[in-house]
Amino acid sequence: MTLQSVVEEIVLRPIGFIRSPFAEREQAPRQGSEAAAEGELVVDEAYSDAFLGLKPGQKIVILYWMHLAERDVLQVHPRHDLSRPLRGVFSTRSPDRPNPISLDTVEIVRIVGTTLHVTGIDALDGTPLLDIKCVS
Amino acid sequence: MTLQSVVEEIVLRPIGFIRSPFAEREQAPRQGSEAAAEGELVVDEAYSDAFLGLKPGQKIVILYWMHLAERDVLQVHPRHDLSRPLRGVFSTRSPDRPNPISLDTVEIVRIVGTTLHVTGIDALDGTPLLDIKCVS
């Protein structure tokens, strides 16, 4: 490592987790647009102040940690299709990558305490949730 | 903390850092669409295999760590304008948030080794780079 970055290591603490119908990696859609599953963003109550302004009907961007991904894989056959040529993970949306953070745009259906019921989820059940942002 | 998440703590290692014209937080544009600065994504050579398939002219999504953000701020006045009512950070794009990860869409202009010259950057100079993905 010859790079001069301002930080060497970053520690994230999940703000909650995702409840979805997808229990295993093979069940999850490969692209967000392929499915519009309903799910829940179960956020820790400690973050309730950060919800001010969120409303049903809004679209939000969520970031989450793909905890089953392989972090030392640098090339993949897109969609696990061996007939397709290898690609570097930085030119794909593969979950396997050095820092396996994914993003989705979902729509808020209902807010119950600090749980957001949403549509458009393609994350696995139990996935650690990292962040929620408004759509820019 | 009453949540049952599969992980309590996540460690990221930056894949490189960003070179941009913005030396201080006050200089950086508040929204990516407000500026189209040129910059560089300086990636560690250890990740060169992950570049296969990246080409000039492509748009890519980058994730980066806003290292100057405050992680314990849960509400903000949008754009630091005190006349605007407080909002929860999850309903904004404020850099201040529990896990200050940002995302931008940028365009590759030139590739030199494992450095990508891009347009559309609004991150601060020296920002740790976390991930590069193709646009979905």
Side-chain angles (χ1 to χ4, degrees), chain B residues 40-102:
Chain B
E40 293 169 25
L41 311 178
V42 184
V43 179
D44 193 280
E45 291 173 5
Y47 300 110
S48 64
D49 284 349
F51 276 59
L52 184 65
L54 292 178
K55 293 186 180 67
Q58 282 177 344
K59 291 198 171 180
I60 51 175
V61 174
I62 60 172
L63 300 182
Y64 53 89
W65 182 251
M66 296 180 285
H67 56 290
L68 300 185
E70 294 181 46
R71 301 182 68 175
D72 55 357
V73 169
L74 297 182
Q75 296 190 339
V76 294
H77 294 282
R79 293 167 172 252
H80 300 286
D81 178 350
L82 296 181
S83 73
R84 297 173 74 162
L86 278 172
R87 294 256 298 276
V89 294
F90 294 158
S91 80
T92 75
R93 302 285 282 204
S94 170
D96 299 323
R97 53 186 58 249
N99 292 310
I101 298 166
S102 190

Side-chain angles (χ1 to χ4, degrees), chain B residues 19 57 103 136:
Chain B
R19 282 270 169 255
L103 50 127
S136 65

Side-chain angles (χ1 to χ4, degrees), chain B residues 103-134:
Chain B
L103 50 127
D104 261 347
T105 300
V106 301
E107 183 172 327
I108 302 173
V109 176
R110 198 163 71 249
I111 305 175
V112 181
T114 51
T115 294
L116 297 174
H117 296 254
V118 299
T119 55
I121 280 283
D122 66 353
L124 293 181
D125 190 43
T127 293
L129 182 65
L130 301 176
D131 197 14
I132 299 169
K133 298 179 194 293
C134 73

Side-chain angles (χ1 to χ4, degrees), chain A residues 80-93:
Chain A
H80 299 287
D81 178 349
L82 295 182
S83 72
R84 298 172 74 164
L86 278 173
R87 294 257 298 276
V89 293
F90 294 159
S91 79
T92 74
R93 302 285 281 204

Side-chain angles (χ1 to χ4, degrees), chain A residues 50-96:
Chain A
F51 276 59
L52 185 65
L54 292 178
K55 293 186 180 66
Q58 282 177 344
K59 291 198 172 182
I60 51 175
V61 175
I62 59 172
L63 300 183
Y64 54 89
W65 182 252
M66 295 180 286
H67 56 290
L68 300 185
E70 294 182 46
R71 300 182 68 174
D72 55 356
V73 168
L74 297 182
Q75 298 190 339
V76 294
H77 294 282
R79 293 166 174 253
H80 299 287
D81 178 349
L82 295 182
S83 72
R84 298 172 74 164
L86 278 173
R87 294 257 298 276
V89 293
F90 294 159
S91 79
T92 74
R93 302 285 281 204
S94 170
D96 299 324

